[in-house]
Amino acid sequence: MQSQSLRTSNVIFDKLTKQPLENVTIFNEKDNSITNAEGFFSFVSENNAININLLGYVPIKTTFEEIKKQDTIFIESKVFELNEVFVGNLEPFMKKVYDKMGENPIPNYTSDFFLRNVLKNDNTIVKLQDVYGKRNRNNIEKNSTKIEILNMRKVSLFEKKYRVELKFPDFNELFTTTVPLRDKCTFKEVAYNDSNYKKIEFEANEKDGWGQTMRGYFIIKRQDYAVIELKIEMIDNPETIPYKEIMLSGIKNRTIKYNKFMQFNKSESFNKYYLSNAKLEAELEVLGEKKIEKTFYYKLVMNYFSTNSPTNEQIKSNFPSDKDIFKAKFPYSENFWNNQNQLPLTNELKDFLNRVSENKEKEKEFEVIGNF
């Protein structure tokens, strides 16, 4: 079956601005892929059809043969229809959206996924982790998320004098869809360049316990009131957030940025929606003291996407969904990764891997951990 697989790679740009586009989905009936921050993608499938789609852009239908003829793929933004903005009371519309949040998702399904976690220390990459696995989502069960990790590759490079043990997010946190209470928010419709959707901005009417105001937006399909895209910013005033002390270390830290972006696709076979891709961005401020000498900042980016259409497949759970993902320990297989849809390495990540290779013998200065 692997010998029958078709594969291609390319880069996608905005036709007008000539800028690379992130989160463009490349898919067919069976397989999914997505572009990285530089607009690059790789796509592997046994099906020759290729669809290219990004909300607000004109979709493209093509094939592997046609893709290979192009050095760069340009997609065109749809025209804004300013007269579509609704200026009246949004309450009835948003009530239907919230009522449908329990009905629109697939209640029980399995999909393969790719997850990339990148950690930076003061804008320098110190950790890369790629995970490929299967995720089962079952809304009926108490533990609604089960994970089967199939393969993993990771490497980290820390300067020993700045090494700090931190707890990072688990799968439950990545997949949790946090939405504001409808009666605790102000909603505002803004212009959106696709008449099939509404873009609704929201802002919480009250600050949370740390003095932060939740804000963000929904992109909602008019036909069935389904949330297709969600962006949430949890922190708008980091100076009011108290520091926490890392246990037994005396080192203090606080989260000063926390954003989540999620997109949902409709499955033709289930006729309901599933999480197609997600991105979590967080930043941690670590106070300087005697041990680490200076204040510095950890920046975490987690990129997830489903690599196939949902199925009823049963999985063999082998990693707790509530455990720090960076704690996962699984072997690496080069042959496995050569046949999977995944995010291509950015130039920044390639430079990081070169830096690891150059410094792996400097045991006094650096701590290197990796499995590939």
Side-chain angles (χ1 to χ4, degrees), residues 83-96:
N83 59 337
E84 288 291 325
V85 175
F86 181 71
V87 295
N89 181 16
L90 277 172
E91 175 61 25
F93 179 81
M94 293 308 299
K95 183 179 186 306
K96 291 181 179 179

Side-chain angles (χ1 to χ4, degrees), residues 53-275:
N53 190 41
L54 180 64
L55 282 174
Y57 284 79
V58 179
I60 293 176
K61 291 187 176 183
T62 185
T63 63
F64 279 85
E65 290 84 357
E66 291 300 317
I67 288 287
K68 290 179 180 178
K69 296 177 183 178
Q70 304 176 63
D71 294 329
T72 303
I73 301 169
F74 293 96
I75 60 175
E76 188 174 1
S77 178
K78 292 182 178 179
V79 178
F80 273 90
E81 300 179 17
L82 298 176
N83 59 337
E84 288 291 325
V85 175
F86 181 71
V87 295
N89 181 16
L90 277 172
E91 175 61 25
F93 179 81
M94 293 308 299
K95 183 179 186 306
K96 291 181 179 179
V97 172
Y98 273 70
D99 289 344
K100 289 287 186 178
M101 285 182 183
E103 301 176 19
N104 279 322
I106 305 172
N108 184 7
Y109 73 94
T110 294
S111 66
D112 291 11
F113 71 84
F114 171 85
L115 172 65
R116 170 165 292 160
N117 303 318
V118 176
L119 181 69
K120 293 183 179 182
N121 181 345
D122 284 351
N123 293 317
T124 300
I125 296 175
V126 293
K127 189 184 285 282
L128 164 66
Q129 180 191 41
D130 286 347
V131 180
Y132 198 97
K134 295 180 181 292
R135 175 205 180 204
N136 174 256
R137 170 72 176 176
N138 190 337
N139 292 341
I140 299 174
E141 296 184 4
K142 184 177 180 181
N143 182 16
S144 60
T145 295
K146 289 184 173 62
I147 299 295
E148 179 183 358
I149 294 179
L150 300 177
N151 212 270
M152 187 181 74
R153 57 191 183 194
K154 68 176 181 179
V155 65
S156 62
L157 177 70
F158 286 95
E159 288 187 70
K160 287 186 175 180
K161 62 180 179 179
Y162 296 137
R163 184 76 163 90
V164 179
E165 283 293 337
L166 301 170
K167 184 180 185 302
F168 294 98
D170 54 37
F171 281 102
N172 288 340
E173 182 174 348
L174 177 64
F175 296 137
T176 298
T177 309
T178 305
V179 294
L181 296 174
R182 182 169 56 87
D183 58 350
K184 302 290 186 180
C185 270
T186 299
F187 298 100
K188 175 187 175 184
E189 184 175 359
V190 296
Y192 192 65
N193 60 339
D194 193 325
S195 59
N196 295 313
Y197 302 91
K198 279 179 176 284
K199 183 173 183 179
I200 309 293
E201 294 181 346
F202 64 83
E203 182 172 320
N205 297 331
E206 300 176 357
K207 296 182 182 297
D208 64 17
W210 286 354
Q212 308 304 307
T213 301
M214 182 194 296
R215 54 170 55 91
Y217 69 80
F218 299 104
I219 294 181
I220 300 160
K221 195 170 184 177
R222 293 172 183 265
Q223 182 181 7
D224 55 9
Y225 301 96
V227 175
I228 304 298
E229 185 172 298
L230 168 66
K231 173 73 179 289
I232 294 180
E233 298 177 5
M234 304 291 290
I235 296 174
D236 69 326
N237 185 13
E239 294 304 316
T240 66
I241 297 176
Y243 289 97
K244 295 187 298 182
E245 188 170 307
I246 300 174
M247 189 177 296
L248 303 178
S249 70
I251 298 173
K252 294 182 179 180
N253 70 93
R254 63 180 178 182
T255 303
I256 60 173
K257 177 181 179 180
Y258 193 94
N259 298 340
K260 189 176 284 190
F261 172 86
M262 309 179 92
Q263 288 185 321
F264 304 87
N265 281 349
K266 192 171 188 177
S267 163
E268 293 184 7
S269 57
F270 286 90
N271 198 32
K272 287 182 179 290
Y273 291 85
Y274 67 99
L275 178 66

